[in-house]
Amino acid sequence: MKKKIGLLLAMLAALVMMVGVFGNPTSAQAADSSLAKIQKKGVLVMGTSPDYPPYEFQATVKGKSAVVGMDVKIGEKVAKDLGVKLKIKSMSFDSLLVALQTGKVDMIISGMNPTPARRKNVDFTHTYYKGGYEIVINKTDKGKYKNKDSFGGGTLGAQTGTTQYNAAKKQTKNTKVKGMTSQSDLILALQSHKLDGVAMEKPSAEAYVSNNKQLAAIPSNFSMSSSATSSAIAFRKGSTSLVNKVNQTVDQIKKENLVKKDYLPAAGKYLKTNTVNTSMGHYWKAFLTGIEYTLIITVCSVFFGFIIGVLLALARLGKGNFLKSLLRWIATAYVEFIRGTPMMVQVMFVYFGLGLFVNLPALTSGIIAISLNSGAYVAEYIRGGINSVDIGQTEAARSLGMSNGETMRFVVLPQALKNIWPSLGNEFITLIKDSSIVSIIGVTELIYQSNIVRSDTYRGVAPIVVIMVLYFILTFTASRILNYFERKMQHA
Amino acid sequence: MPKPVIEVEKLAKSFGDNAVLKDITEQVNPGQVIVVIGPSGGGKSTFLRCLNLLETPTSGKVAFEGHDLTTMDTKSVNSLREKMGMVFQGFNLFPNMTVLENIKLAPMKVKHADDASATKQAHELLQRVGLDDHADAFPDSLSGGQAQRVAIARALAMNPEVMLFDEPTSALDPEMVGEVLNVMQELAKDGMTMVVVTHEMGFAKSVGDRIWFMADGYIQENSTPEKFFANPETDRAKDFLSKILM
């Protein structure tokens, strides 16, 4: 089972829902119209986290990257039975519940277990698939381990915050349990003998074993309740009419055993074609897309961040009447707040929080969040830069009849900029790297793409090396360009 | 009697509890060279900076050509500042611009002069201060005397009617004082109205029309150089002169 919602996200969700009291006051009324609304819209947006083969994963279909897997098949069937089109939105598993609650997606099909805790916040359909747990081990250890009880003195791995992680902790003795966020990292740790076994869901275990000849799977023998081992489709709370309708589809899938007969083998096919060629060169298009989005985010954020930074710096330096004092106070508060909260939370807040009022695409949200964040830091550099320019420069300009604004623009700012250029350059290079944070809301920049490639190829290290090199090329080129301008500014 | 260019009435300026200027009423007539001398901390620089409102007076009136600057809106003050060129002790040249660009900046940005005429004027001014061969140099490659002459040329580029000098030679090595004073003397000869704060008594004697002796926030004596240096009236002035003329 996949990650439970993290504490951070839970708090954000709570905040978003508090805002939601004002944004969406009529969720009770929406109950009866939920089905009609979707049918009227004609599109059903499915949220999923495509890093979890064979449930859902990224594969190359006819030369294009697409989300495939058994959950996608189920989504297609649900949409077809409702008579609407299916649209798939990818994001991290952690973000799915918030996305559902804030209307970014209409439903979640992502191997999600209908646990009592989740039931408090969303409505689930009947379960469409019941899995189980296995433990993946190195094939060389095959005789050594039988089930969860054979790892005494050793180390088991599992995805952090998942049911199998809790089960491994509670239901084993003398065994260390190590949590990691990504399954491909766990497999990598297993193969480098940092772990002796990895507990995971049966279909995932089978997918790994069938695609990696050095691995084997053994039964886990965890004792589990059925809500912890089965998957269901999640809808917004109060969507009774919609859930009832979709339950007919789910019941049919179960009755005809479509998952085992049809959907899993179809997903397996993509897995097979996928692992034929796992060289990094084969994925050059994925990495190119990553570079493209990383650059788009960075360039836009540098541009807007700089403008925001200049405005904030000027506001913070304002003195005099009430309006200027108020602006200064607001700017100071803004800078302190932004610097005092993690960028990751800001990105999520812009995407999900503002999403209640305006439907912003993930890329736009990411650019807005990073620009706002960078602006706060740039503002401080610029303020320092302006203060570093001798007051005599201002006096000379004013004595020549230049206005306050002209003095700032033609005399002070150019000198301030020259003084802070190295710091600004640092900020820009940091932005190239920090842009990776928007991967959590599903923007296909370098980190996101590398995660896709990793779960696609079951290769843990190679994609990391590739993006490390790519990031370095980007930052090194950027720093060369910045140095060129620095030299140009320092003539004498 | 010509109309005064600058009139100061009951001018006072305090920084917190520190009253630097107490009660000053004087006027500057066209073509006059006023030399303000006095002990350090007597308020000379503050007085000069009040004339173009780089410092805002605490009370009193500063009028330029009959217009009271202290009651004007910012925009009008800006346009009146054009007519009062100022030269600072520390030159305050813009270090990121060449000598030529330093001179052209204000005419082009404030008066919207076109590049060609601003360049032509800048070269003329540089010839006048004897530095046309340094037009493309940056300020940090100039000697102090050269930098101050460029600063004078920069102030003249706005065609001011009055020039204010705030201890223009105090930051210079002794051998460079002469070249700056010569330029100022030429300016005076051409009829420029000037208010000069300086410690150069030779300049005060030979170029000044009036000496304003300033101490303790007041102008203690206003007289001709001949009279002031030969026969000062106040004890304060006598004491000052006895110290510097030793």
Side-chain angles (χ1 to χ4, degrees):
Chain A
M1 199 222 316
K2 290 203 200 170
K3 281 162 274 185
K4 280 184 191 163
I5 192 159
L7 182 65
L8 203 73
L9 254 149
M11 289 193 306
L12 182 78
L15 183 64
V16 163
M17 277 183 293
M18 269 177 354
V19 178
V21 171
F22 306 101
N24 286 342
T26 53
S27 61
Q29 271 183 5
D32 294 321
S33 60
S34 57
L35 175 61
K37 259 188 187 166
I38 294 294
Q39 281 171 332
K40 196 178 161 207
K41 197 167 67 153
V43 181
L44 183 65
V45 182
M46 159 179 162
T48 193
S49 169
D51 56 356
Y52 207 60
Y55 283 78
E56 50 267 320
F57 52 102
Q58 208 93 17
T60 310
V61 181
K62 289 173 195 151
K64 274 188 186 167
S65 183
V67 179
V68 296
M70 70 176 230
D71 281 350
V72 176
K73 288 279 178 193
I74 289 166
E76 282 166 0
K77 171 110 175 98
V78 168
K80 197 180 152 204
D81 290 355
L82 288 173
V84 296
K85 275 190 193 152
L86 181 74
K87 197 179 150 197
I88 296 175
K89 223 173 202 177
S90 306
M91 62 189 72
S92 74
F93 190 78
D94 285 343
S95 308
L96 284 172
L97 281 179
V98 191
L100 182 64
Q101 281 162 350
T102 57
K104 293 273 170 197
V105 299
D106 300 316
M107 65 170 180
I108 300 170
I109 313 182
S110 199
M112 188 175 272
N113 311 107
T115 58
R118 285 187 183 132
R119 276 193 194 283
K120 282 185 192 153
N121 294 313
V122 293
D123 282 351
F124 279 104
T125 60
H126 300 156
T127 58
Y128 59 84
Y129 181 75
K130 189 170 183 317
Y133 295 94
E134 288 190 338
I135 296 175
V136 177
I137 55 170
N138 288 311
K139 209 172 221 170
T140 45
D141 292 338
K142 213 172 173 185
K144 203 168 151 191
Y145 303 119
K146 294 249 161 6
N147 56 43
K148 66 177 167 73
D149 299 318
S150 3
F151 290 91
T155 309
L156 266 182
Q159 254 184 309
T160 318
T162 58
T163 311
Q164 62 265 36
Y165 177 81
N166 293 336
K169 278 214 134 165
K170 282 183 196 148
Q171 301 181 23
T172 58
K173 277 179 195 145
N174 291 329
T175 307
K176 266 201 252 167
V177 178
K178 185 152 174 50
M180 293 188 185
T181 42
S182 133
Q183 290 219 124
S184 27
D185 287 340
L186 286 164
I187 293 293
L188 202 67
L190 174 70
Q191 290 192 281
S192 52
H193 298 280
K194 292 191 181 68
L195 299 174
D196 301 308
V198 178
M200 59 173 77
E201 269 194 280
K202 212 172 162 186
S204 296
E206 277 161 9
Y208 276 105
V209 169
S210 67
N211 285 289
N212 192 331
K213 298 275 175 289
Q214 287 149 344
L215 299 176
I218 56 169
S220 68
N221 290 5
F222 289 136
S223 62
M224 293 281 186
S225 71
S226 88
S227 78
T229 52
S230 47
S231 304
I233 307 174
F235 287 96
R236 254 187 301 283
K237 196 85 186 153
S239 314
T240 320
S241 57
L242 187 57
V243 171
N244 287 343
K245 175 80 180 155
V246 174
N247 269 337
Q248 295 170 11
T249 306
V250 173
D251 292 344
Q252 189 203 349
I253 290 172
K254 271 207 289 206
K255 201 173 134 207
E256 296 177 19
N257 201 12
L258 287 176
V259 170
K260 285 224 171 80
K261 250 175 38 196
D262 199 355
Y263 298 165
L264 273 178
K269 247 187 269 166
Y270 286 116
L271 275 177
K272 279 195 188 105
T273 54
N274 241 9
T275 45
V276 169
N277 189 347
T278 60
S279 78
M280 290 300 109
H282 184 67
Y283 285 92
W284 67 273
K285 266 189 183 160
F287 288 115
L288 194 68
T289 310
I291 292 175
E292 186 192 328
Y293 279 91
T294 292
L295 285 179
I296 289 175
I297 295 162
T298 307
V299 170
C300 292
S301 304
V302 162
F303 180 74
F304 294 116
F306 183 74
I307 293 175
I308 293 168
V310 172
L311 295 178
L312 283 174
L314 293 178
R316 284 200 75 173
L317 289 166
K319 273 187 247 158
N321 59 29
F322 174 74
L323 184 73
K324 281 182 179 168
S325 299
L326 183 74
L327 278 176
R328 186 182 68 226
W329 189 87
I330 291 172
T332 307
Y334 176 87
V335 168
E336 292 300 336
F337 186 75
I338 292 287
R339 290 200 303 182
T341 50
M343 194 197 249
M344 193 186 217
V345 182
Q346 294 161 8
V347 168
M348 291 192 293
F349 184 78
V350 169
Y351 186 55
F352 298 118
L354 292 187
L356 284 174
F357 305 103
V358 236
N359 196 8
L360 295 170
L363 178 64
T364 317
S365 304
I367 290 172
I368 290 175
I370 295 185
S371 302
L372 290 174
N373 179 287
S374 174
Y377 288 90
V378 171
E380 286 303 276
Y381 293 132
I382 291 180
R383 193 169 67 102
I386 289 174
N387 283 336
S388 76
V389 176
D390 182 34
I391 183 75
Q393 295 289 309
T394 306
E395 291 183 345
R398 298 306 299 270
S399 78
L400 288 166
M402 294 171 83
S403 69
N404 211 348
E406 287 165 339
T407 302
M408 197 44 93
R409 200 172 135 206
F410 300 118
V411 175
V412 177
L413 273 183
Q415 293 183 49
L417 215 58
K418 187 184 150 190
N419 291 349
I420 61 168
W421 190 256
S423 317
L424 273 186
N426 250 340
E427 170 68 14
F428 297 159
I429 285 170
T430 306
L431 266 190
I432 293 178
K433 296 179 284 175
D434 279 358
S435 64
S436 59
I437 283 174
V438 301
S439 62
I440 56 163
I441 55 171
V443 178
T444 55
E445 48 67 69
L446 265 177
I447 295 278
Y448 186 92
Q449 295 295 84
S450 78
N451 285 337
I452 296 291
V453 172
R454 290 176 76 199
S455 59
D456 238 29
T457 56
Y458 302 91
R459 292 180 64 177
V461 182
I464 296 179
V465 173
V466 169
I467 59 162
M468 241 163 77
V469 171
L470 289 177
Y471 271 118
F472 182 71
I473 292 173
L474 290 180
T475 53
F476 189 72
T477 311
S479 81
R480 290 291 102 181
I481 295 171
L482 290 164
N483 284 352
Y484 170 77
F485 283 110
E486 190 176 339
R487 272 198 307 277
K488 260 190 107 174
M489 279 194 285
Q490 272 157 1
H491 20 64
Chain B
M1 186 78 180
K3 238 179 123 187
V5 191
I6 298 175
E7 292 162 279
V8 178
E9 234 182 85
K10 295 196 159 85
L11 174 66
K13 171 72 185 174
S14 310
F15 295 100
D17 291 337
N18 181 19
V20 178
L21 302 179
K22 285 165 188 164
D23 181 6
I24 295 175
T25 303
E26 292 292 347
Q27 57 189 43
V28 181
N29 292 320
Q32 262 189 338
V33 176
I34 310 287
V35 180
V36 184
I37 60 175
S40 295
K44 305 186 299 290
S45 285
T46 305
F47 169 69
L48 198 69
R49 290 154 62 84
C50 280
L51 296 185
N52 68 351
L53 245 59
L54 278 186
E55 299 289 356
T56 313
T58 310
S59 65
K61 187 174 126 178
V62 177
F64 183 82
E65 290 178 339
H67 309 285
D68 185 2
L69 269 71
T70 56
T71 57
M72 260 179 201
D73 60 284
T74 328
K75 226 176 162 183
S76 317
V77 171
N78 288 344
S79 61
L80 279 186
R81 280 208 187 103
E82 292 173 29
K83 300 185 183 173
M84 288 186 272
M86 189 162 190
V87 175
F88 301 85
Q89 183 179 346
F91 326 136
N92 295 347
L93 293 178
F94 308 134
N96 54 330
M97 301 176 202
T98 63
V99 164
L100 198 70
E101 287 163 350
N102 260 278
I103 298 172
K104 280 160 60 181
L105 182 74
M108 288 180 69
K109 300 301 181 193
V110 179
K111 288 189 166 171
H112 305 289
D114 62 271
D115 190 63
S117 66
T119 307
K120 185 165 165 273
Q121 186 206 20
H123 280 298
E124 283 166 8
L125 287 167
L126 282 172
Q127 273 162 14
R128 201 162 149 192
V129 299
L131 285 169
D132 201 26
D133 49 339
H134 289 74
D136 296 321
F138 280 93
D140 56 6
S141 69
L142 300 177
S143 72
Q146 291 170 329
Q148 196 59 295
R149 284 188 280 156
V150 171
I152 294 171
R154 180 176 70 178
L156 291 173
M158 296 300 281
N159 297 317
E161 288 168 31
V162 180
M163 285 285 282
L164 310 175
F165 291 86
D166 187 5
E167 302 200 25
T169 57
S170 298
L172 298 180
D173 291 337
E175 75 269 24
M176 291 172 182
V177 170
E179 58 190 82
V180 173
L181 291 181
N182 282 342
V183 169
M184 290 167 63
Q185 196 163 2
E186 289 299 313
L187 261 181
K189 228 187 254 173
D190 292 346
M192 175 65 77
T193 311
M194 292 161 59
V195 181
V196 185
V197 173
T198 188
H199 294 293
E200 294 296 328
M201 295 306 145
F203 178 84
K205 268 184 200 163
S206 60
V207 185
D209 293 317
R210 303 291 298 181
I211 302 290
W212 292 358
F213 174 70
M214 202 168 167
D216 307 326
Y218 298 99
I219 295 195
Q220 312 261 0
E221 281 195 54
N222 174 352
S223 64
T224 61
E226 296 77 23
K227 183 160 176 279
F228 178 77
F229 285 105
N231 202 1
E233 279 172 7
T234 59
D235 293 341
R236 200 82 180 71
K238 282 175 196 161
D239 180 51
F240 174 73
L241 286 175
S242 74
K243 276 180 189 156
I244 60 159
L245 294 178
M246 268 200 308

